[in-house]
Amino acid sequence: MTAVPVLLNHQSAARTRAGLDTVALGLPAVLIVVALGWRLVGMTGAVIATVFGLAALAAIAVWRSRRFDQRWLIGELDSRIPRFEDSTTLLFRDRSALAGLTALQRDRLESRVHEAAAVDLRPGWSRRPILIAWAVAVVLIAAILLWPAANDSRTKAAAPSGATAGATAPVLTGARLRITPPAYTGLPVREQTALDARAPEGSRVEWLIDFAPQPSSAGLEFPESTPVSLIRDGQRWTGARILDRPLLYRIEAAGLAQQRLNRLDAIADAEPVVRLVEPESQLVQLTPGQTTWTPVFEASDDYGVIETATLRITVTKGDGENITFEQRTMPLRGQGSAKQLRFSTPLDLAREGMAAGSDLIVQLVVTDNRAPERQEVEGPSVILRWPTSLAMADGLDGMAMRVMPAYFASQRQIIINAEALIAERRRLEPRAVMDRSNVIGEEQAALRLRYGQFMGEEAEGGGGSGIILPTSDAPPARAPLPTSDTPAPTAAPAHDDHDDHDHGDEAAGGAMGSEVDVLNEFGHAHDTGEAATLFAPQTRSALARALDAMWSSERELRQGRPEQALPHANEALELLKEAQRATRVFLPRLGNDLPPVDFARRLTGKREDIVAENPERPERSPADAVAADAWRALEERPGSTAAPLALGALDRWARENGGRLADPLALRAAIDTVRNEPACLDCRRRLRALLWTALQRPAPSPGRREAPGQRGQRYLDALR
């Protein structure tokens, strides 16, 4: 085994040469990326580019070196040293595992290992690619470092063409912004070379400015705020302020040429958003046997939500004018990340004092972590309603007793319920299927009776004292369970209003406070078919067929056969749609009350006191007259001189109308640039483009009627 280390030295040397060659080839690219990062972002960008670039270069070098493995070494030794007799692989095998001729051959190779020391197995250098890479890198890095910065080019463009630069006039050689966001945002401190910046509201903005030569004084001018003086620290001038609103500013110094306005945009902290997760709607009904309720809210914010929130709980009791409220609050702790928290807690309905007819209203109140003033937001209110139709026995654990609903289910809803029952039939017991089908049959019966009133039907069994109104609270008369042999009911025969019957018996038969007693006292207790006469024959026929289909659907549902009831229910729905589309009641049309025709002036052509011959359009003073005049003055016309611009009035107009402008700071900065650089053609074009977007669209005005043709003109001449 003494020969193996000698041979492995060649492998290590080859891997080292491959790694160095890779570094020599890739290092120029890393330097280019570092220069770009430093120029665009600053020192932070340069450090990040260096770390990631060197990591990528090291990974590539390792990957290229891995191909020089033991298999490569054996192949190279066999090809380079003939005395190894293509048996180099024996040197890497265990001597004790060899025997016979194989062991003898290995001993012979060990005596010749010294011949491998003079062989150089390292790969050659990539000299030409390395030279090209470094040459290109030097050129690109020089171009990146020597390219003028944005603030330098703007400074040179801002200098008047006729100004003479003295030997002592300062020049802005460099400027950097250091932005420190508020601590509650959790954002890091960043630096940038651009003088325009966007930062969270409340950030501290610090300017680091270099001049050459040094001026006697320097500062920052804010057109609508207090100026900031720059303090000299060695060769650098510094100043800072808190960014509380969007601002325009420019750098000023003694002897420095006029600079353009820069802008700072303050990003306002958004309010937290509270979303209801469970339940899906803000109004839910209490289910029979329900004892607890767990609403779930989700609060999110751009920088973070306080972990503790407040849940407002309100319970209403009573009805009408006797409603009372009980309100309390309880703290909740959210789960999740700081920017998105979920709040939930189970509410015991009995402990909250819920009763029949009560409402349990919950609302979540959250606050964000903004400093110094936090923002508090109230989430959506969620209502858990205990309807009076749920008669609970023994508190919340009782069974629900079905009473007549306050609203009838529509025919479409009956079809939906029947289809749902058919889909779930395999998972339900036969008794449960029968109960649910009977409930749907009751809804079908209620809907049939409702439409039957418009066709002259009085009651379920044909009597005159069993009518059930849609708003009645009394339970409906239960008809005998229909069978397949039971014939469908027919409409009661129409009769006169007060002929051949007496209402005294009906009044005597009704109980005190019943719907029959009230109707007999204040009105007629049944429909005599007068409502049916309002419909056309085609409509009455459609309604009659719809009632027959409803009866067939109810019969099948009562017997627990929703599959057979579904075709009849669909037929009833189509007939109801047909009746809705039909003509019902015809009402006389009332025309306009026009003045009488003066026959003495008819066909005479006299137009006095009718309309002016040439009406003049009223003069309107547009609200954007100043901006419109400036937009026209900025128009470029061949051979025309530049029209004078009222930049002072335009700046005042921009300040007064800043609330409705999309970007007032950009418009005011463009006005200031045109004022300081009147010869800048691009600046004038930019100002004109911004004015076009700021102008209000004029209201449309009525145009004059087009001139008549020859035939129309002859007719008008004949009238005159």
Side-chain angles (χ1 to χ4, degrees):
M1 297 297 295
T2 57
V4 175
V6 177
L7 300 179
L8 291 179
N9 291 335
H10 293 287
Q11 182 183 7
S12 301
R15 288 186 173 183
T16 304
R17 175 65 63 84
L20 295 176
D21 186 74
T22 303
V23 172
L25 277 172
L27 190 58
V30 175
L31 295 178
I32 294 174
V33 174
V34 171
L36 282 174
W38 179 83
R39 187 60 186 272
L40 297 178
V41 183
M43 185 57 64
T44 303
V47 172
I48 294 175
T50 302
V51 172
F52 282 96
L54 292 179
L57 185 59
I60 296 174
V62 171
W63 176 76
R64 290 191 63 189
S65 301
R66 290 180 61 184
R67 64 187 181 94
F68 299 99
D69 53 2
Q70 183 177 344
R71 184 177 180 181
W72 167 86
L73 178 60
I74 293 173
E76 289 293 324
L77 291 175
D78 287 339
S79 62
R80 296 286 189 91
I81 306 175
R83 287 176 56 81
F84 276 6
E85 299 176 354
D86 294 336
S87 302
T88 309
T89 184
L90 297 177
L91 296 175
F92 295 92
R93 296 176 62 179
D94 189 3
R95 178 66 177 81
S96 60
L98 301 178
L101 295 177
T102 305
L104 181 61
Q105 179 68 8
R106 176 186 169 87
D107 295 339
R108 293 176 60 191
L109 293 179
E110 285 185 354
S111 62
R112 303 172 184 175
V113 166
H114 64 278
E115 299 181 8
V119 179
D120 188 5
L121 300 182
R122 295 177 300 175
W125 292 97
S126 304
R127 292 183 175 83
R128 186 170 182 178
I130 292 174
L131 293 176
I132 295 175
W134 280 97
V136 172
V138 170
V139 174
L140 291 179
I141 292 174
I144 292 172
L145 297 180
L146 298 178
W147 191 269
N151 52 3
D152 295 341
S153 60
R154 291 174 58 179
T155 303
K156 295 177 182 178
S161 57
T164 58
T168 59
V171 177
L172 185 63
T173 58
R176 300 176 63 81
L177 294 183
R178 180 180 298 157
I179 301 174
T180 306
Y184 74 88
T185 62
L187 299 177
V189 180
R190 61 186 177 93
E191 293 187 3
Q192 63 179 45
T193 57
L195 296 179
D196 294 337
R198 289 172 53 87
E201 188 177 5
S203 300
R204 184 177 185 273
V205 183
E206 184 179 2
W207 285 265
L208 309 174
I209 300 175
D210 298 329
F211 297 100
Q214 297 297 332
S216 58
S217 63
L220 301 174
E221 177 195 0
F222 296 88
E224 294 184 351
S225 184
T226 306
V228 175
S229 300
L230 296 179
I231 301 175
R232 184 175 179 179
D233 184 10
Q235 299 297 321
R236 176 164 292 178
W237 296 76
T238 61
R241 70 162 296 163
I242 301 299
L243 181 61
D244 54 355
R245 56 189 175 90
L247 295 170
L248 292 174
Y249 76 96
R250 65 160 51 92
I251 300 174
E252 290 187 339
L256 182 67
Q258 184 80 20
Q259 303 292 305
R260 293 185 181 180
L261 286 175
N262 304 101
R263 61 183 297 173
L264 297 175
D265 289 320
I267 304 174
D269 185 5
E271 294 183 345
V273 177
V274 181
R275 184 176 66 89
L276 177 63
V277 180
E278 293 180 5
E280 297 181 354
S281 62
Q282 293 184 240
L283 176 61
V284 294
Q285 300 284 345
L286 184 71
T287 59
Q290 181 178 353
T291 59
T292 60
W293 184 44
T294 307
V296 181
F297 297 89
E298 184 179 80
S300 59
D301 188 69
D302 46 3
Y303 297 124
V305 184
I306 298 298
E307 189 177 6
T308 303
T310 302
L311 185 67
R312 294 178 182 172
I313 304 174
T314 305
V315 180
T316 65
K317 297 181 180 180
D319 56 359
E321 298 181 356
N322 298 324
I323 296 180
T324 60
F325 298 88
E326 295 181 2
Q327 186 174 3
R328 71 181 184 92
T329 60
M330 63 179 299
L332 288 183
R333 182 171 295 274
Q335 302 292 332
S337 61
K339 294 185 178 181
Q340 189 172 11
L341 294 175
R342 283 205 172 189
F343 299 87
S344 64
T345 182
L347 300 177
D348 190 340
L349 302 184
R351 186 179 60 185
E352 299 297 339
M354 286 284 288
S358 298
D359 287 347
L360 177 61
I361 308 170
V362 296
Q363 186 180 29
L364 186 69
V365 182
V366 300
T367 56
D368 63 359
N369 57 357
R370 190 180 71 169
E373 297 180 0
R374 295 178 177 177
Q375 299 182 109
E376 183 177 274
V377 173
E378 298 178 352
S381 298
V382 191
I383 304 174
L384 176 64
R385 178 160 296 170
W386 187 339
T388 55
S389 60
L390 291 177
M392 296 294 182
D394 299 332
L396 297 177
D397 297 330
M399 298 298 294
M401 181 179 65
R402 181 177 179 84
V403 299
M404 185 174 181
Y407 303 98
F408 287 93
S410 64
Q411 185 65 26
R412 189 183 302 275
Q413 186 62 43
I414 292 174
I415 295 174
I416 294 174
N417 294 342
E419 291 176 347
L421 177 58
I422 294 172
E424 300 175 5
R425 185 164 189 167
R426 296 181 179 179
R427 300 191 301 269
L428 299 176
E429 297 180 356
R431 182 62 182 175
V433 174
M434 185 65 189
D435 292 342
R436 288 182 56 177
S437 181
N438 190 40
V439 170
I440 302 175
E442 292 178 1
E443 296 175 352
Q444 182 70 85
L447 187 63
R448 177 176 59 81
L449 291 176
R450 180 184 183 187
Y451 281 104
Q453 296 174 10
F454 297 100
M455 294 298 294
E457 295 184 0
E458 293 183 347
E460 179 75 31
S465 62
I467 183 171
I468 301 298
L469 296 181
T471 57
S472 174
D473 294 332
R478 180 59 61 88
L481 185 65
T483 62
S484 59
D485 300 332
T486 304
T490 57
H495 53 275
D496 295 335
D497 197 4
H498 293 282
D499 295 340
D500 301 333
H501 65 280
D502 186 7
H503 295 282
D505 297 339
E506 296 174 359
M512 180 178 294
S514 65
E515 67 276 3
V516 178
D517 184 32
V518 175
L519 286 174
N520 281 287
E521 182 179 355
F522 297 101
H524 202 54
H526 59 275
D527 194 348
T528 61
E530 298 162 355
T533 60
L534 296 176
F535 299 101
Q538 181 182 1
T539 306
R540 290 200 302 270
S541 176
L543 284 177
R545 287 182 290 156
L547 291 176
D548 293 341
M550 288 182 185
W551 172 258
S552 301
S553 173
E554 176 190 352
R555 179 186 60 198
E556 302 296 341
L557 288 170
R558 296 275 191 176
Q559 297 180 2
R561 298 198 295 258
E563 294 86 353
Q564 288 79 359
L566 195 57
H568 301 292
N570 287 321
E571 180 184 0
L573 179 60
E574 294 299 328
L575 291 172
L576 290 177
K577 289 182 179 179
E578 179 181 348
Q580 290 174 0
R581 292 191 294 265
T583 304
R584 289 181 173 85
V585 181
F586 293 92
L587 299 177
R589 296 197 176 198
L590 301 178
N592 298 329
D593 189 8
L594 299 177
V597 179
D598 187 2
F599 291 97
R601 300 180 57 175
R602 191 178 185 189
L603 300 178
T604 60
K606 296 180 180 180
R607 299 173 56 86
E608 292 80 4
D609 300 331
I610 297 178
V611 66
E613 289 292 338
N614 295 315
E616 297 181 358
R617 296 184 180 181
E619 293 292 336
R620 300 179 181 177
S621 55
D624 298 339
V626 176
D629 294 341
W631 183 81
R632 297 188 189 95
L634 289 169
E635 184 179 6
E636 300 177 18
R637 295 181 179 178
S640 62
T641 58
L645 286 173
L647 294 178
L650 183 60
D651 187 61
R652 288 192 298 271
W653 175 87
R655 294 172 186 268
E656 294 172 357
N657 297 272
R660 67 174 182 84
L661 299 180
D663 195 354
L665 294 183
L667 180 59
R668 292 177 52 200
I671 295 173
D672 183 82
T673 303
V674 172
R675 180 189 289 115
N676 297 328
E677 305 175 33
C680 180
L681 185 59
D682 292 337
C683 304
R684 296 172 65 90
R685 291 173 179 170
R686 173 172 172 77
L687 176 59
R688 193 167 191 266
L690 291 174
L691 286 175
W692 176 255
T693 59
L695 290 173
Q696 284 185 341
R697 181 175 298 179
S701 58
R704 292 187 60 85
R705 184 177 299 175
E706 297 181 359
Q710 296 181 358
R711 187 175 181 180
Q713 191 63 40
R714 288 197 303 268
Y715 174 76
L716 295 178
D717 294 341
L719 290 179
R720 296 190 183 95

